[in-house]
Amino acid sequence: MTGVADQMTTDVVIVGGGSAGSLLAARLSENPARSVLLIEAGEEPSDPDIWTPAAWPALQGRAFDWDYLTEPQAGTHGRVHHWARGKVIGGSSCLHAMGYMRGHPEDYQAWVGATGDARWSWEALLPVFGAIEGRPDSSGPMPIYMPDEEVSPLTRAFIETGVSLGLPRLPHHNDGRMVGVTPNALNIRDGRRVTVAEAWLTPEVRARKNLCILTGTRARRLVMDGNRVNRIEGVGPQGPIEIVADQIVLCAGALESPALLMRSGIGPRDVLKAASVDCLIDMPGIGRNLQDHLLGAGNLYATRKPLPASRLQHSESMAYMRAGDFTAAGQPEIVVGCGVAPIVSECFDAPEPGTAYSLLFGVTHPTSRGSLRISGPNLGDRLIIDPAYLQTEHDRAMFRSALEAARTIGHADRLAEWRDRELAPGPLGSKAEIDAFIAKAVITHHHPSGTLRMGKDDHAVVDPDLRLKPLDNLHVVDASVIPSLTAGPIHAAVLAIAESFARTVTSDE
Ligand SMILES: Cc1cc2nc3c(=O)[nH]c(=O)nc-3n(C[C@H](O)[C@H](O)[C@H](O)COP(=O)(O)OP(=O)(O)OC[C@H]3O[C@@H](n4cnc5c(N)ncnc54)[C@H](O)[C@@H]3O)c2cc1C
């Protein structure tokens, strides 16, 4: 790597030091012959609350959260939703809720269907997950911790209730049988969060001479020459910088990776025109296919006895299931989560901690698809984020089913020792009343993805190798490329995408 303060030359530049980017910087710099430059808009993490698992909700809105706002959502009572995203080395793994779930094999079969490439199948990804995960039988860098005695007594009762209704008691969520109930596996070691940066960018890795990490440095625009990106213009702590690289890997996340492409003139012609950006490559798929999971936060129960605070991260167990049948097997359709706290959306008043708990409810494979656009050519121009929440009847029907499942669990005999009464929603009559309650209750589950989806069809943005289709030296490796959501939280899938990409790059070495 060569360079003066404002210009650098490198073999590979990774834009964004978040979950995918941190892993990739470590993996690609294993070869000392390859120079790797990682640029990250944020700084190194320093807020001590990052490492306190129970503090994770309080991290939102702090200086290392991009704190995006969605457009008002017709499907969620006209609300604007805050979308947290990490602006820090480690990215959103510094803010996330630490739940680790690979997903269901059929989730990945859908990726094979989208790409025509068996590398994205569950079976092909098994060794990839194995290389990521640190468990008693696997020595990957990311600890996968199965809590036992720390699990709340409420969560234990929730799990037993699920079993009494017919759900299988799973050992964990990660062996392919997601339908069932179990405590959540967590990225925690010795009671502390482990970020992706800590797991992969260890002091030994950071000491490599061929790896350079620039914090406080934001890519503004890619400059192209024919079908190659020949430099990146950015802004660093000392002002403008320029980076010349053989290979560019975008790891800026599902919002900023498409935004960077659009600011560079690559995107849907109409969107670029409205944002006063000259369209150099018209790609209608960029910024489309935005997906997110929602969780209903409003099915609330008053306790009969004081509820001890969660010793983990509040949402201790997720029960995945088919809609309408606790005993059916297959790919999950809905989820009910045990919130060891009165977790509610901003439409409801939360009772005092210790006096109430929430049964969260959600849909695993929503069919609503939103979009992301830039509003102007500059870094400061806001992103126009429209997740189009609850726009399909599929999603609304599944949400009704998820609420019903949550209330069936909530009112079951096995939970009587904890339940005094249901505080919300209370009696609901018509379908319209149920939908109105759900629209007020849903909050983001923090899984935006899909905005630069991989696929074999004409509108897909990256190919199965994650290469931006019209360019030779630009790959996208982050949550943007996910064609369709996995059933659960998506961090494991994002790490698998990064590790799988690293394997492809390093396989000939
Ligand atoms: C509050 C919250 C809770 C969550 N809970 C869970 C959970 O429990 N389990 C789970 O599986 N998933 C969870 N997730 C989701 C998961 O954390 C994300 O899907 C994942 O971290 C995304 O990884 P990424 O690499 O795509 O993006 P990120 O990790 O967001 O990384 C993108 C990085 O790029 C940087 N960047 C952006 N633009 C530029 C630019 N132009 N130049 C330079 N750098 C740039 C950003 O600052 C950031 O560091 C949660 C997320 C949040 C926010």
Side-chain angles (χ1 to χ4, degrees):
M1 195 166 338
T2 57
V4 291
D6 56 355
Q7 193 185 58
M8 301 191 80
T9 302
T10 180
D11 293 333
V12 179
V13 60
I14 298 172
V15 178
S19 295
S22 298
L23 183 157
L24 214 50
R27 291 283 282 111
L28 297 188
S29 61
E30 281 170 11
N31 179 349
R34 178 188 294 114
S35 57
V36 176
L37 172 64
L38 174 65
I39 65 167
E40 165 55 42
E43 300 297 338
E44 295 286 349
S46 57
D47 186 329
D49 288 347
I50 289 174
W51 292 278
T52 306
W56 77 266
L59 302 176
Q60 291 167 42
R62 295 194 186 173
F64 51 94
D65 176 8
W66 289 88
D67 193 16
Y68 297 97
L69 295 176
T70 69
E71 296 299 287
Q73 292 298 291
T76 69
H77 198 59
R79 285 182 293 146
V80 167
H81 297 256
H82 284 262
W83 274 13
R85 296 280 94 191
K87 184 180 189 179
V88 57
I89 290 282
S92 297
S93 78
C94 297
L95 288 174
H96 76 15
M98 293 151 281
Y100 183 88
M101 293 183 208
R102 292 177 180 176
H104 188 271
E106 286 182 41
D107 301 342
Y108 296 96
Q109 205 46 43
W111 296 16
V112 175
T115 59
D117 193 322
R119 263 180 307 175
W120 298 109
S121 69
W122 170 264
E123 291 74 19
L125 288 173
L126 283 177
V128 172
F129 286 123
I132 290 167
E133 297 166 3
R135 287 183 274 103
D137 57 344
S138 168
S139 59
M142 178 55 82
I144 313 298
Y145 174 63
M146 269 314 288
D148 183 8
E149 72 274 11
E150 305 97 315
V151 169
S152 162
L154 172 71
T155 306
R156 290 180 199 284
F158 170 86
I159 290 171
E160 286 168 19
T161 305
V163 172
S164 73
L165 291 166
L167 286 172
R169 171 67 167 92
L170 301 176
H172 50 74
H173 284 115
N174 290 317
D175 65 3
R177 292 172 299 160
M178 267 191 99
V179 163
V181 61
T182 166
N184 297 336
L186 301 168
N187 296 146
I188 290 179
R189 181 166 46 218
D190 300 331
R192 287 164 61 85
R193 173 202 296 273
V194 176
T195 73
V196 177
E198 285 165 296
W200 272 270
L201 293 175
T202 60
E204 295 72 33
V205 170
R206 285 169 182 259
R208 289 177 187 157
K209 295 219 168 14
N210 61 323
L211 173 63
C212 175
I213 301 175
L214 288 184
T215 59
T217 304
R218 192 169 172 197
R220 189 170 66 82
R221 195 166 77 98
L222 312 171
V223 181
M224 282 161 302
D225 182 7
N227 52 3
R228 289 181 68 81
V229 176
N230 77 358
R231 65 177 200 279
I232 298 180
E233 294 174 354
V235 185
Q238 266 83 51
I241 61 159
E242 239 178 51
I243 295 158
V244 176
D246 285 344
Q247 295 292 331
I248 289 94
V249 187
L250 298 191
C251 298
L255 306 180
E256 292 293 341
S257 285
L260 174 57
L261 291 173
M262 290 187 210
R263 281 197 302 271
S264 310
I266 309 171
R269 187 176 293 282
D270 57 332
V271 170
L272 300 190
K273 184 160 184 247
S276 309
V277 173
D278 287 342
C279 182
L280 304 178
I281 305 179
D282 183 16
M283 291 191 76
I286 290 187
R288 303 272 154 79
N289 193 48
L290 175 60
Q291 301 173 45
D292 190 20
H293 284 134
L294 286 167
L295 278 180
N299 181 211
L300 200 61
Y301 299 85
T303 54
R304 292 172 72 86
K305 54 185 177 184
L307 174 64
S310 169
R311 291 195 281 163
L312 296 161
Q313 35 65 286
H314 314 294
S315 168
E316 295 191 356
S317 171
M318 305 298 261
Y320 288 90
M321 61 192 91
R322 301 287 294 174
D325 185 351
F326 285 98
T327 63
Q331 188 183 24
E333 292 176 313
I334 58 170
V335 59
V336 177
C338 182
V340 187
I343 303 166
V344 290
S345 78
E346 70 274 22
C347 293
F348 304 94
D349 293 326
E352 283 298 306
T355 68
Y357 56 92
S358 287
L359 295 187
L360 306 163
F361 53 100
V363 175
T364 56
H365 299 93
T367 54
S368 298
R369 296 288 181 269
S371 68
L372 169 99
R373 289 174 287 151
I374 53 170
S375 63
N378 301 313
L379 284 179
D381 295 323
R382 81 183 177 91
L383 300 186
I384 302 169
I385 302 169
D386 179 7
Y389 283 143
L390 293 171
Q391 286 307 296
T392 63
E393 179 51 27
H394 167 274
D395 293 358
R396 293 187 292 270
M398 283 291 162
F399 250 105
R400 289 193 288 273
S401 188
L403 173 60
E404 193 180 317
R407 295 178 89 185
T408 303
I409 293 174
H411 288 270
D413 289 347
R414 182 61 193 83
L415 271 170
E417 86 178 271
W418 285 101
R419 181 186 58 248
D420 178 40
R421 65 191 189 287
E422 184 184 278
L423 294 171
L428 289 174
S430 64
K431 197 165 112 176
E433 267 177 39
I434 299 170
D435 284 353
F437 166 73
I438 291 168
K440 286 184 178 174
V442 288
I443 55 176
T444 176
H445 202 177
H446 307 290
H447 305 152
S449 51
T451 44
L452 299 171
R453 76 180 162 86
M454 59 173 153
K456 60 184 176 192
D457 61 296
D458 288 347
H459 288 293
V461 178
V462 299
D463 68 18
D465 292 330
L466 308 185
R467 187 179 56 84
L468 192 85
K469 284 182 169 172
L471 295 179
D472 286 345
N473 65 339
L474 182 101
H475 291 82
V476 184
V477 185
D478 60 25
S480 318
V481 304
I482 290 176
S484 51
L485 283 165
T486 52
I490 63 170
H491 197 231
V494 173
L495 296 181
I497 288 166
E499 172 61 22
S500 175
F501 178 75
R503 285 170 177 233
T504 309
V505 171
T506 57
S507 61
D508 316 330
E509 294 171 3

